[in-house]
Amino acid sequence: MPARKKITIVGAGMVGASAAHWAASKELGDVCLVDIVEGMPQGKGLDLREASPVEGFDSDVVGSNDYADTAGSDVVIITAGLPRKPGMSRDDLVAKNTEIVKSVTEQVAYYSPEAVLIVVSNPLDAMVYVAHQASGFPAHRVVGMAGVLDSARFRTFIADELDVSVEDVTAFVLGGHGDSMVPLPRFSSVAGIPITELLSREKIEELVDRTRKGGGEIVGLLKTGSAFFAPSAAAVQMTESVLKDKKRILPCAAYCDKEYNVGGYFVGVPAKLGAGGVKQVIEFNLTEEEREQLEGSVQGVRELVQTISM
Ligand code: TXD
């Protein structure tokens, strides 16, 4: 009998703890929750484990401050980082989170040399790059979560607008996270019917705009902290596709060199996720307008990555 799969989640904050919840309750594997704060991951891990008899899942959940406990993980989700504090510039945040993501990646890579890394920490497009450099892993075993979240938001808004099941709505986004996201309405559909057939151009623009600002909308409501339910669900969907070798085509920050003329950066593209990570980046012909938007987004990622010193 094969042993259960093992998932490590680094950063037991809002996104990390919710990811542990989704992953354990779906019985994707045993979960190890790691944080730098003493006691907190142990407490959250034990609390979640104590929910298992009620919810009926047989996943072990442990919390730890020691990376030795993460050994032999199949997937590692990295959510560790600091939020931006008052007075902190964007560059300061990049520098601080680079330091954190670099250090946690080196430790998880040492104990789980065969793992697939799914990076969540912000600024996402830069932190995937940092994790790739720090791990020394082949690029296909390092991927960032953003597109699944952005497209889930877009799907939610489309379903609400048309009063249909979210399950029948697919949406397609490319490019960087948030503002520079490139939605592709012609590939976004309801039961296979492109939304361009069902909604006016103005309405689509409105939904796209809300999706671009989706993170900010939640921050504005929460006042402290940022979104965590949907981001963690998105990271766990990627984890499931890897662990079960489902080969789902999901929008992820994947390494692209010749693909879309990116030239060696991680950017949001449709990727086939299965055992061992990104099995393929799916390329297709873009319209002139889409190409320009994607190039603008990719240029933003290049400039961000060039500010990083490791
Ligand atoms: O779409 C996306 N990619 C995102 C990204 C969507 C939502 C959140 N996004 C980013 O994920 C967010 O901007 C943050 O950079 C991360 C985690 O967000 P979360 O809301 O979970 O932040 P928290 O609650 O502050 O949790 C971060 C945890 C916290 O418990 C710290 O103690 C821990 O990270 N931390 C560390 N753990 C281990 N090792 C080190 N060095 C460390 N430093 C901080």
Side-chain angles (χ1 to χ4, degrees):
M1 283 287 280
R4 286 187 207 146
K5 300 285 187 185
K6 182 166 173 179
I7 304 153
T8 281
I9 301 171
V10 186
M14 300 307 284
V15 176
S18 298
H21 184 181
W22 297 116
S25 64
K26 285 170 185 272
E27 291 187 326
L28 295 186
D30 292 335
V31 176
C32 180
L33 199 51
V34 181
D35 204 283
I36 199 165
V37 178
E38 284 180 24
M40 187 268 274
Q42 290 86 342
K44 289 188 180 179
L46 180 60
D47 188 20
L48 185 51
R49 175 102 175 90
E50 289 168 355
S52 65
V54 181
E55 284 295 312
F57 57 84
D58 285 303
S59 310
D60 277 340
V61 188
V62 295
S64 179
N65 308 113
D66 181 354
Y67 284 85
D69 292 328
T70 69
S73 294
D74 299 285
V75 168
V76 177
I77 302 176
I78 298 177
T79 78
L82 290 186
R84 194 149 136 190
K85 303 214 176 83
M88 203 178 189
S89 75
R90 198 180 152 78
D91 286 352
D92 294 340
L93 180 74
V94 174
K96 191 67 209 165
N97 281 351
T98 295
E99 197 183 304
I100 292 174
V101 170
K102 176 173 186 272
S103 130
V104 305
T105 303
E106 285 167 352
Q107 298 178 79
V108 291
Y110 176 78
Y111 284 105
S112 301
E114 300 302 322
V116 172
L117 305 181
I118 299 178
V119 182
V120 177
S121 311
N122 266 333
L124 192 269
D125 303 292
M127 292 308 117
V128 198
Y129 174 88
V130 170
H132 177 231
Q133 295 288 312
S135 62
F137 285 4
H140 64 88
R141 279 205 279 124
V142 184
V143 64
M145 187 291 293
V148 177
L149 171 64
D150 289 330
S151 66
R153 287 182 173 142
F154 195 25
R155 289 169 67 192
T156 308
F157 304 149
I158 295 166
D160 283 354
E161 186 59 37
L162 292 168
D163 192 24
V164 296
S165 166
V166 287
E167 284 191 69
D168 289 328
V169 181
T170 59
F172 209 103
V173 295
L174 291 176
H177 185 34
D179 295 349
S180 67
M181 168 193 116
V182 182
L184 298 184
R186 67 189 174 112
F187 294 126
S188 302
S189 66
V190 177
I193 307 160
I195 59 166
T196 45
E197 301 283 320
L198 302 169
L199 292 166
S200 68
R201 211 185 152 88
E202 296 72 43
K203 184 49 83 179
I204 292 173
E205 264 314 306
E206 201 184 291
L207 302 185
V208 163
D209 187 57
R210 188 173 174 200
T211 305
R212 279 214 176 94
K213 298 174 181 156
E217 184 178 3
I218 304 281
V219 170
L221 292 164
L222 293 178
K223 310 285 191 297
T224 55
S226 53
F228 54 96
F229 285 125
S232 56
V236 169
Q237 182 175 65
M238 292 167 66
T239 302
E240 180 173 28
S241 196
V242 170
L243 292 179
K244 295 186 179 170
D245 193 27
K246 284 175 77 81
K247 302 177 187 157
R248 294 211 54 184
I249 311 296
L250 298 171
C252 309
Y255 184 81
C256 296
D257 189 6
K258 293 196 177 62
E259 296 88 350
Y260 298 101
N261 295 320
V262 168
Y265 293 87
F266 289 81
V267 292
V269 287
K272 188 196 285 181
L273 282 190
V278 175
K279 289 180 168 291
Q280 190 190 347
V281 167
I282 314 282
E283 264 193 293
F284 58 92
N285 288 327
L286 298 172
T287 65
E288 196 58 37
E289 191 189 351
E290 289 161 355
R291 209 194 326 269
E292 271 170 28
Q293 282 189 38
L294 179 63
E295 181 48 35
S297 181
V298 171
Q299 188 51 27
V301 174
R302 291 189 193 112
E303 285 165 17
L304 181 62
V305 166
Q306 276 150 20
T307 67
I308 292 174
S309 62
M310 288 179 68

